[in-house]
């Protein structure tokens, strides 16, 4: 198995210093985000109530020779923006959208062990961190913040929460962190008190996450066998195994790379949280109709559909949490 390059290992040591200082502290890397061309979305001038800082899922295939996405690859940039478009409709009703291109780790590297792939994920996180600090310094101007991502993007959201949101000022600005399609363990929340799992449909300053799978699944790359993830059910907003029937599903929306809804199915499926894995088990989905989509996943792992199966419930929930946050601050939506 190929070992991580020395430069990436050194980068990992640098990142241990944490999220301190401003984006001017490393002008070589952070000046990337002074260039508007390094943002997939940069809605700095729109008068809206809050900001969404969105981190794209994995769209770069990669290899052990080309481990992280080149920022100058036009084809990958097109896929990157398309993947954001598929999910942005959940977030943008009352929010400005900020989504940086970042040198995400290639999909092929997920075949490595967690220890072997960590330097490549840390390289991706360096860009994410720099973009976030640049956003705070130049664009945020005290706006409430929604962190959001999917898959590798959700992993990056949780890393940002660990690294930067121990600061009380940022905690006070956080509406919520939607880290969909990644795991969050009790050990992590014990170590990082700012990682507060959502407990209801309207609490703020919390992390919302879940991983969707068939009832027969007992192992996945996101939640390996023997792991228990903390999660919340996006249909009834329960954190225990109380089942939600499909009548509580406001609509699954299957979107394309433009963000258009190609198919919408109300009352698509019910779901409950598995008491041992913490994963979200869906009760009305045929694995043959919804294949896993990636060779990394076995049948019944519905990772690629995490947002789409629960699209309208998530859309409604983002609006509810933002309204609740603004009410707590004595404000109203723009």
């Amino acid at each position: 198995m190929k070992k991580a390059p020395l430069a990436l290992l050194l980068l990992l040591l640098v990142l241990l210093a944490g999220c301190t200082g401003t984006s001017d502290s490393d002008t070589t890397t952070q000046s990337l985000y002074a260039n508007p061309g390094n943002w997939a979305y940069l809605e700095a001038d729109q008068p809206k109530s809050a900001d969404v800082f969105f981190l794209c899922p994995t769209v770069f295939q990669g290899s052990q020779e080309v481990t992280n996405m080149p920022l100058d690859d036009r084809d990958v940039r097109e896929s990157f923006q398309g993947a954001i478009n598929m999910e942005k409709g959940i977030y943008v009703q009352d929010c400005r959208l900020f989504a940086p291109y970042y040198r995400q780790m290639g999909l092929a590297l997920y075949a490595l062990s967690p220890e072997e792939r960590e330097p490549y994920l840390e390289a991706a996180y360096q860009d994410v961190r720099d973009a976030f600090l640049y956003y705070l310094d130049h664009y945020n101007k005290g706006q409430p913040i929604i962190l959001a991502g999917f898959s590798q993007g959700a992993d990056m959201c949780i890393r940002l929460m660990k690294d930067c949101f121990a600061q009380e000022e940022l905690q006070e600005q956080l509406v919520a962190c939607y880290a969909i399609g990644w795991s969050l363990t009790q050990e992590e929340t014990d170590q990082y008190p700012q990682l507060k799992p959502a407990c209801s449909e309207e609490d703020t300053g919390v992390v919302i996450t879940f991983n969707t799978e068939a009832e027969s699944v007992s192992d996945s790359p996101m939640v390996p066998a023997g792991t228990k993830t903390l999660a919340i059910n996006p249909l009834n907003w329960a954190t225990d195994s109380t089942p939600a029937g499909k009548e509580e599903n406001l609509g699954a929306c299957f979107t394309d790379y433009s963000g258009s809804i190609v198919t919408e199915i109300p009352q698509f499926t019910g779901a409950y949280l598995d008491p041992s894995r913490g994963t979200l088990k869906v009760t009305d989905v045929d694995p043959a109709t919804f294949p896993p989509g990636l060779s990394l996943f076995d049948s019944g792992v519905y990772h690629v559909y995490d947002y789409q199966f629960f699209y309208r419930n998530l859309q409604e929930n983002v609006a509810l949490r933002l309204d609740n946050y603004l009410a707590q601050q004595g404000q109203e939506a723009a």
Side-chain angles (χ1 to χ4, degrees):
M1 200 72 75
K2 184 177 178 179
K3 295 184 178 180
L6 179 59
L8 287 177
L9 294 175
L10 291 174
L11 173 61
L12 177 57
L13 294 175
V14 170
L15 287 171
L16 294 176
C19 189
T20 58
T22 69
S23 62
D24 295 328
S25 62
D26 182 355
T27 57
T28 301
T29 300
Q30 292 166 358
S31 63
L32 285 171
Y33 298 101
N35 178 358
N38 287 324
W39 294 84
Y41 281 94
L42 185 63
E43 298 181 346
D45 299 325
Q46 296 191 18
K48 292 192 174 182
S49 300
D51 293 345
V52 174
F53 190 86
F54 190 92
L55 295 166
C56 181
T58 309
V59 296
F60 177 60
Q61 178 61 37
S63 67
Q64 290 198 18
E65 288 69 42
V66 185
T67 58
N68 290 72
M69 178 185 124
L71 289 183
D72 59 356
D73 187 319
R74 291 185 179 181
D75 290 338
V76 177
R77 277 181 170 235
E78 184 176 343
S79 297
F80 195 105
Q81 190 168 55
I84 295 169
N85 289 345
M86 293 181 73
E87 292 142 15
K88 73 171 187 173
I90 289 169
Y91 296 104
V92 296
Q93 300 98 310
D94 295 307
C95 299
R96 305 185 301 175
L97 179 59
F98 295 84
Y101 291 110
Y102 67 97
R103 287 171 285 205
Q104 61 179 221
M105 185 186 79
L107 183 66
L109 277 296
Y110 280 102
L112 300 176
S113 71
E115 294 76 19
E116 288 174 310
R117 66 182 182 237
E118 184 60 21
Y120 307 110
L121 288 167
E122 287 290 357
Y125 178 66
Q126 177 67 64
D127 278 3
V128 167
R129 177 182 181 273
D130 293 341
F132 184 68
L133 291 178
Y134 192 88
Y135 153 77
L136 286 178
D137 283 352
H138 296 88
Y139 300 124
N140 174 256
K141 299 180 181 178
Q143 286 266 98
I145 299 169
I146 296 172
L147 283 183
F150 172 51
S151 195
Q152 184 172 164
D155 180 2
M156 295 295 122
C157 284
I158 291 172
R159 289 169 191 251
L160 268 180
M161 287 289 297
K162 292 175 179 178
D163 196 12
C164 295
F165 282 80
Q167 300 175 26
E168 186 174 348
E169 181 179 354
L170 278 180
Q171 287 183 37
E172 291 175 355
Q173 285 183 255
L174 182 67
V175 177
C177 171
Y178 287 82
I180 308 298
W182 204 250
S183 62
L184 178 66
T185 66
Q186 185 66 53
E187 291 76 15
E188 288 176 294
T189 62
D190 289 344
Q191 185 175 356
Y192 300 96
Q194 66 270 32
L195 288 171
K196 302 170 186 175
C199 295
S200 73
E201 65 179 340
E202 61 181 20
D203 47 358
T204 60
V206 295
V207 180
I208 298 96
T209 191
F210 57 85
N211 290 271
T212 313
E213 62 188 29
E215 293 179 285
S216 60
V217 171
S218 59
D219 180 46
S220 75
M222 290 69 61
V223 187
T227 300
K228 182 173 184 179
T229 181
L230 302 175
I232 194 163
N233 187 330
L235 297 182
N236 59 9
W237 301 103
T239 57
D240 59 19
S241 57
T242 301
K246 65 181 182 179
E247 67 278 0
E248 295 181 77
N249 191 314
L250 300 179
C253 293
F254 300 93
T255 52
D256 61 20
Y257 261 16
S258 74
S260 298
I261 295 171
V262 177
T263 304
E264 181 167 357
I265 308 174
Q267 301 184 356
F268 174 72
T269 185
Y272 65 92
L273 293 178
D274 184 283
S276 59
R277 284 176 52 73
T279 49
L280 186 67
K281 301 290 190 178
V282 290
T283 54
D284 305 281
V285 179
D286 179 3
T289 306
F290 293 92
L294 295 172
S295 60
L296 289 171
F297 304 147
D298 294 332
S299 178
V301 176
Y302 298 123
H303 178 68
V304 297
Y305 307 106
D306 277 334
Y307 269 101
Q308 303 205 24
F309 282 0
F310 310 102
Y311 191 101
R312 293 299 188 195
N313 292 77
L314 288 168
Q315 188 179 59
E316 179 183 74
N317 186 250
V318 170
L320 177 63
R321 289 187 199 272
L322 178 56
D323 285 347
N324 193 34
Y325 176 91
L326 294 174
Q328 292 169 7
Q329 303 298 316
Q331 304 174 40
E332 295 182 358

